[in-house]
């Protein structure tokens, strides 16, 4: 009976993968044959993707390297159709049917590409001295569905490139709305289903995100700094005199345990990697917003955005690291639920780090940041090709066998990582076939006409700020703009040199 069930599951997985490949080919509206064979070359190459010309000599890529570059430069992918295809695939869910989706940003470093527009400075870990530096490049924000348990698989749903003039919080809110709209259209979410949980790491303004998405059926969970200050709900005004009622209650300082009240819930469990884990939560806490930064353009009175604070304390960390306090913020202000819900929140947040494994596989194995493309539109096209290739590996997971090296441990079919599934994708592709048409016979072109030279490509500055700021007033305090640039001795101030790690 088990063999019949396994056979049915394999046929179902094979049909789903074949349907996705056909849909991917239909979404490539220009240079579709070359783009589709480029995706197959990424999946069937023997090792990591090191360069684009190496992909053109693969057997599955029946065209030359010129057709490959032409497809990346002049091809076209209907991204909206591909996004809808990704939303319609089977997505991992919790026991109650809730979807958990993580959002995070991964940069495409382009420090020397002065002719590439749309670059901005983005954080990247520096290996030289261990501190975090910034590097010019194209940052991409990826949304992926999370699975349960320890795994490196995620269900990629969307990717958006951030520009120099974009507000990251507004872009994240718009991306979440679009993802929710496609989930409704694909039948993945209906009215009455559990709200979709979106998980964020530190760096996101989760309080403002909760305010922008207050009309959407979503829940937000993210990590916040350990030195923030929250406030309890305001009580009645004290004293006999009349006046305005207070808007904020007593302060709840995360770094000061003396200001912590009794928690609404407390959960104690034992984890196989962190030892004893204690989770405590406090409900109906809100930060004191100020009319600066992203709230400068808020016309009405600043809102009160309440949520639930979750403090996570572990016994130890892998690698004998010192465990630091971790604080999570959940936009659901009601903390009077069962202790199992609090325990599930921090476990879902730990699953957010599976997206880091996805980024590492996309970059180190599939070559997400390998090509040296000039225009950001070409980079977007390549990013969607890599995401489509990763999705095919996820759909081929039930069809793969463990082709392990002699020094590797044997794994069960349900624990195969993406790298081992990719080793056997050639056999799966022979069964599936390809919808791409064979190349036509052609002759080499005439090349560049004699006597014609192209002008130098324009240089584009790197965007330093996400939002343009008002320049300072030169007449402020009676000083001129040039006098501010001079030292007290009258000599010009020395220019500082900034060293960026490539």
């Amino acid at each position: 009976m088990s063999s019949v069930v396994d056979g049915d599951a394999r046929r179902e997985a094979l049909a789903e993968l074949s349907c996705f490949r056909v849909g991917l080919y239909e979404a490539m509206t220009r240079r579709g044959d070359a783009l589709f064979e480029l995706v197959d070359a990424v999946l069937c190459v023997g090792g990591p993707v090191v360069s684009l010309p190496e992909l053109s000599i693969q057997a599955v890529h029946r065209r030359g390297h010129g057709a490959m570059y032409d497809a990346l430069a002049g091809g076209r992918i209907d991204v909206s159709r591909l996004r809808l295809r990704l939303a319609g695939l089977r997505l991992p869910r919790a026991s109650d049917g809730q979807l958990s989706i993580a959002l995070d940003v991964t940069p495409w470093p382009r420090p020397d590409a002065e002719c590439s527009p749309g670059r901005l400075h983005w954080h990247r870990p520096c290996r030289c001295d261990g501190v975090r530096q910034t590097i010019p490049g194209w940052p991409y924000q990826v949304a992926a569905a999370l699975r349960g348990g320890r795994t490196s698989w995620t269900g990629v749903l969307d990717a958006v490139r951030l520009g120099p003039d974009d507000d990251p919080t507004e872009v994240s809110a718009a991306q979440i709305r679009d993802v929710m709209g496609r989930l409704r259209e694909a039948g993945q979410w209906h009215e009455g289903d559990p709200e979709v949980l979106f998980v964020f790491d530190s760096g996101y303004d989760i309080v403002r995100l909760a305010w922008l998405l207050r009309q959407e059926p979503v829940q937000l969970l993210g990590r916040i700094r350990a030195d923030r200050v929250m406030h309890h709900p305001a009580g009645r005004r004290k004293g006999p005199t009349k006046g305005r009622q207070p808007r904020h209650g007593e302060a709840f300082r995360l770094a000061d345990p003396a200001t912590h009240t009794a928690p609404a819930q407390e959960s104690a469990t034992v984890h196989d990697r962190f030892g004893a884990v204690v989770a405590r939560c406090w409900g109906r806490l809100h930060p004191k917003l100020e009319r600066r930064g992203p709230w400068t353009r808020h016309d009405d009175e600043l809102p009160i955005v309440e949520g639930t604070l979750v403090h996570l304390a572990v016994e130890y960390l892998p690698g004998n690291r010192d465990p630091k306090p971790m604080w999570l913020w959940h936009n659901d202000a009601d903390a009077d639920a069962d202790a199992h819900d609090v325990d599930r929140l921090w476990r879902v947040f730990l699953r957010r780090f599976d997206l880091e494994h996805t980024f590492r596989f996309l970059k180190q194995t599939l070559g997400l940041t390998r090509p040296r493309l000039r225009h950001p539109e070409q980079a977007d096209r390549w990013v969607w090709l890599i995401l489509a290739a990763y999705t095919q590996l996820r759909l081929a997971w039930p069809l793969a066998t463990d082709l392990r090296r002699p020094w590797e441990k044997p794994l069960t079919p349900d624990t195969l990582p993406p790298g081992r599934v990719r080793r056997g994708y050639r056999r799966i592709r022979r069964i599936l076939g390809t919808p791409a048409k064979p190349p036509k016979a052609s002759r080499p072109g005439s090349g560049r006409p004699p006597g014609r030279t192209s002008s130098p490509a324009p240089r584009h500055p790197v965007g330093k700020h996400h939002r343009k700021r008002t320049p300072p007033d030169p007449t402020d305090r009676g000083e001129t703009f040039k006098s501010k640039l001079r030292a007290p001795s009258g000599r010009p101030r020395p220019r500082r040199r900034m060293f960026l790690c490539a």
Side-chain angles (χ1 to χ4, degrees), residues 400-405 408-413 416-417 420 423:
T401 57
D402 187 12
L403 301 179
R404 66 183 183 91
R405 302 290 189 262
E408 294 176 343
K409 296 181 180 179
L411 298 176
T412 58
L416 290 179
R420 294 202 189 183
R423 294 176 186 174

Side-chain angles (χ1 to χ4, degrees), residues 10 56 201 216 449:
R10 289 181 60 88
S56 63
D201 199 6
E216 294 290 332

Side-chain angles (χ1 to χ4, degrees), residues 420-453:
R420 294 202 189 183
V421 174
R422 182 170 174 260
R423 294 176 186 174
Y425 191 81
R426 293 182 181 180
R427 305 177 182 178
I428 301 175
R429 185 190 174 277
R430 295 194 192 102
I431 302 174
L432 295 172
T434 175
K437 301 177 183 177
K440 300 179 181 179
S442 60
R443 294 179 299 177
S446 57
R448 180 182 297 175
R452 297 183 60 181
T453 59

Side-chain angles (χ1 to χ4, degrees), residues 207-279:
V207 175
R208 185 163 174 250
L209 268 177
W211 171 254
L212 294 176
L213 299 172
R214 60 189 182 277
Q215 304 296 337
E216 294 290 332
V218 298
Q219 296 182 9
L220 306 181
L221 177 65
R223 182 167 61 173
I224 60 177
R225 299 194 316 268
D227 58 349
R228 296 196 63 170
V229 179
M230 297 291 175
H231 292 267
H232 290 279
R236 300 291 299 175
R237 178 180 174 82
K238 299 179 181 180
T241 59
K242 297 181 179 180
R244 181 181 179 181
Q245 296 295 332
R247 302 187 72 232
H248 311 284
E250 297 181 358
F252 186 98
R253 303 180 184 277
L254 276 60
D256 187 6
T259 61
H260 299 177
T261 58
Q265 295 182 43
E266 185 171 351
S267 172
T269 57
V270 178
H271 198 270
D272 57 347
R273 299 190 65 192
F274 308 108
V277 180
V278 179

Side-chain angles (χ1 to χ4, degrees), residues 103 141 167-177 198-201 203-216 218-222 289 294-295 305 329 331:
L103 263 74
Q141 183 167 262
D167 186 348
T169 306
E170 295 181 357
V171 172
S172 302
Q175 186 178 13
I176 291 176
R177 295 191 192 98
F198 286 86
V199 189
F200 308 87
D201 199 6
Y204 284 87
D205 192 352
I206 189 171
V207 175
R208 185 163 174 250
L209 268 177
W211 171 254
L212 294 176
L213 299 172
R214 60 189 182 277
Q215 304 296 337
E216 294 290 332
V218 298
Q219 296 182 9
L220 306 181
L221 177 65
L289 303 179
W295 297 99
V305 186
W329 195 87
N331 68 329

Side-chain angles (χ1 to χ4, degrees), residues 20 23 121 180:
F20 177 79
H121 287 283
M180 289 299 301

Side-chain angles (χ1 to χ4, degrees), residues 53-375:
E54 293 291 336
L55 297 177
S56 63
I57 62 177
Q58 297 297 318
V60 296
H61 195 279
R62 299 172 292 181
R63 291 161 173 82
H65 64 278
M68 176 188 60
Y69 282 111
D70 182 66
L72 288 176
R76 181 182 299 172
I77 302 176
D78 192 348
V79 178
S80 59
R81 186 186 302 181
L82 183 55
R83 284 170 171 163
L84 188 58
R85 285 276 182 179
L86 294 176
L89 300 176
R90 288 181 297 176
L91 300 177
R93 297 176 180 267
S95 58
D96 58 350
Q98 186 182 34
L99 284 170
S100 301
I101 301 176
L103 263 74
D104 203 357
V105 178
T106 179
W108 185 333
R110 299 290 284 143
D112 301 328
E114 298 181 358
C115 300
S116 299
R119 296 182 304 157
L120 55 89
H121 287 283
W122 202 259
H123 293 285
R124 184 172 184 263
C126 175
R127 296 184 179 181
C128 55
D129 54 0
V131 298
R132 301 188 66 88
Q133 302 288 344
T134 60
I135 188 170
W138 295 314
Y140 284 87
Q141 183 167 262
V142 180
L146 302 177
R147 303 181 62 89
R150 296 178 59 179
T151 178
S152 58
W153 291 96
T154 58
V156 180
L157 295 174
D158 191 19
V160 175
R161 176 172 50 86
L162 301 177
D165 299 329
D166 293 338
D167 186 348
T169 306
E170 295 181 357
V171 172
S172 302
Q175 186 178 13
I176 291 176
R177 295 191 192 98
D178 295 340
V179 170
M180 289 299 301
R182 289 190 292 270
L183 291 177
R184 292 190 184 96
E185 186 176 356
Q188 297 279 10
W189 190 88
H190 304 86
E191 295 294 336
D193 292 347
E195 295 181 343
V196 181
L197 178 61
F198 286 86
V199 189
F200 308 87
D201 199 6
S202 59
Y204 284 87
D205 192 352
I206 189 171
V207 175
R208 185 163 174 250
L209 268 177
W211 171 254
L212 294 176
L213 299 172
R214 60 189 182 277
Q215 304 296 337
E216 294 290 332
V218 298
Q219 296 182 9
L220 306 181
L221 177 65
R223 182 167 61 173
I224 60 177
R225 299 194 316 268
D227 58 349
R228 296 196 63 170
V229 179
M230 297 291 175
H231 292 267
H232 290 279
R236 300 291 299 175
R237 178 180 174 82
K238 299 179 181 180
T241 59
K242 297 181 179 180
R244 181 181 179 181
Q245 296 295 332
R247 302 187 72 232
H248 311 284
E250 297 181 358
F252 186 98
R253 303 180 184 277
L254 276 60
D256 187 6
T259 61
H260 299 177
T261 58
Q265 295 182 43
E266 185 171 351
S267 172
T269 57
V270 178
H271 198 270
D272 57 347
R273 299 190 65 192
F274 308 108
V277 180
V278 179
R280 299 178 298 168
C281 69
W282 294 263
R284 299 198 62 189
L285 291 174
H286 67 273
K288 183 186 294 185
L289 303 179
E290 297 181 3
R291 199 172 293 277
R292 63 180 182 180
W295 297 99
T296 305
R297 297 176 296 175
H298 192 80
D299 299 332
D300 302 332
E301 187 179 17
L302 294 178
I304 299 294
V305 186
E306 293 184 339
T308 297
L309 272 180
V310 179
H311 177 257
L312 187 63
V314 300
E315 184 179 359
Y316 53 83
L317 292 177
N320 297 326
R321 293 176 295 169
D322 185 20
K324 298 180 180 179
M326 178 180 291
W327 291 88
L328 306 178
W329 195 87
H330 190 216
N331 68 329
D332 188 3
D334 187 11
D336 298 332
D338 297 334
H340 175 71
D341 296 335
V342 180
D343 186 66
R344 179 176 174 271
L345 285 179
W346 66 264
R347 291 183 181 273
V348 171
F349 178 78
L350 292 183
R351 295 271 61 83
R352 190 214 67 83
F353 292 96
D354 296 340
L355 192 56
E356 303 293 341
H357 297 285
T358 301
F359 289 157
R360 182 176 59 181
F361 179 75
L362 295 179
K363 290 183 176 181
Q364 297 182 1
T365 305
L366 299 186
L368 178 65
T369 58
R370 280 292 182 178
R372 296 297 180 257
L373 304 175
R374 174 180 295 184
H375 301 286

